């Protein structure tokens, strides 16, 4: 739970620090500007609130490690959900309205998380998870999208180091293999998830593992 709060708070602070033209800069998500990504974060905050308000008495069906659906197909930005996100982000007119909406929901999600019992069970995507496992998945979600937010920006703080390390462990579990120690956590995540191409040196370090990359955690 501590890592969730660190990842979620760091992401909120990064959004609050955005200025002017940074909103129209490309993000690490294919086809999305920074403003489009922030609207997606609005949906993430709503998801947290909805999930915490959907308790379950059933036994857990998934752990945090089992939550992710893996794919090798990178998004293009032309998917219906992506197009909706772009239209919705533009509809705010100015970044100020989008910031206000995200900040309200993100703070509410954080308060709800602080009140939640980590051992309780919730339902999402037809899965049942403990609250603790659910928030472990959100460390990954928040950290990867924080990387997306700052990928082409300067002067905006990136994700917490411990959250990067935890997200790397999740990606390595999904791959069934550790990523080379020569890649720092940020580089390992960007390359493994297709957010940037590997350099020749990184390809050499990856060896046969490069054939499994990139992976998309959905």
């Amino acid at each position: 739970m501590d890592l969730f709060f660190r990842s979620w708070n760091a992401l909120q602070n990064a959004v609050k620090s955005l200025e002017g033209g940074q909103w129209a800069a490309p993000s690490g998500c294919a086809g999305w500007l920074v403003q489009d990504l922030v609207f997606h974060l609005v949906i993430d905050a709503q998801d947290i609130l909805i999930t915490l308000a959907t308790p379950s008495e059933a036994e857990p069906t998934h752990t945090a490690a089992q939550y992710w659906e893996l794919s090798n197909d990178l998004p293009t930005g032309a998917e219906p959900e992506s197009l909706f996100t772009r239209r919705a982000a533009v509809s705010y007119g100015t970044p100020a309205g989008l910031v206000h909406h995200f900040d309200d929901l993100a703070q509410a999600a954080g308060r709800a998380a602080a009140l939640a019992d980590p051992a309780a069970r919730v339902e999402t995507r037809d899965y049942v998870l403990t609250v603790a496992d659910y928030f472990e998945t959100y460390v990954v979600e928040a950290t990867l999208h924080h990387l997306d937010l700052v990928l082409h920006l300067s002067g905006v703080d990136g994700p917490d180091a411990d959250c990067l390390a935890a997200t790397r462990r999740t990606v390595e579990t999904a791959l069934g293999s550790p990523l080379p120690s020569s890649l720092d956590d940020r580089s390992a995540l960007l390359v493994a998830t297709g957010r940037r191409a590997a350099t020749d040196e990184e390809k050499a370090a990856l060896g046969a593992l490069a054939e499994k990359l990139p992976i998309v955690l959905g």
Side-chain angles (χ1 to χ4, degrees), residues 122-209:
V122 291
E123 184 175 345
T124 182
R125 295 194 344 185
D126 295 326
Y127 301 166
V128 176
L129 297 90
T130 66
V131 167
D133 274 350
Y134 175 67
F135 280 114
E136 188 175 331
T137 71
Y138 253 93
V139 173
V140 176
E141 176 80 2
T143 300
L144 289 178
H145 280 326
H146 198 155
L147 287 175
D148 290 328
L149 187 79
V150 303
L151 189 59
H152 301 288
L153 300 179
S154 59
V156 181
D157 290 338
D160 175 271
D162 289 339
C163 295
L164 284 170
T167 302
R168 177 181 185 149
R169 289 193 293 271
T170 296
V171 170
E172 290 176 333
T173 298
L175 279 171
S177 176
L179 292 160
S181 59
S182 58
L183 274 69
D184 62 76
D185 292 338
R186 181 179 183 276
S187 296
L189 290 171
L190 292 176
V191 169
T193 61
R195 284 166 163 83
R196 75 162 172 81
T199 65
D200 290 342
E201 183 178 353
E202 288 167 342
K203 287 178 183 176
L206 287 165
L209 187 59

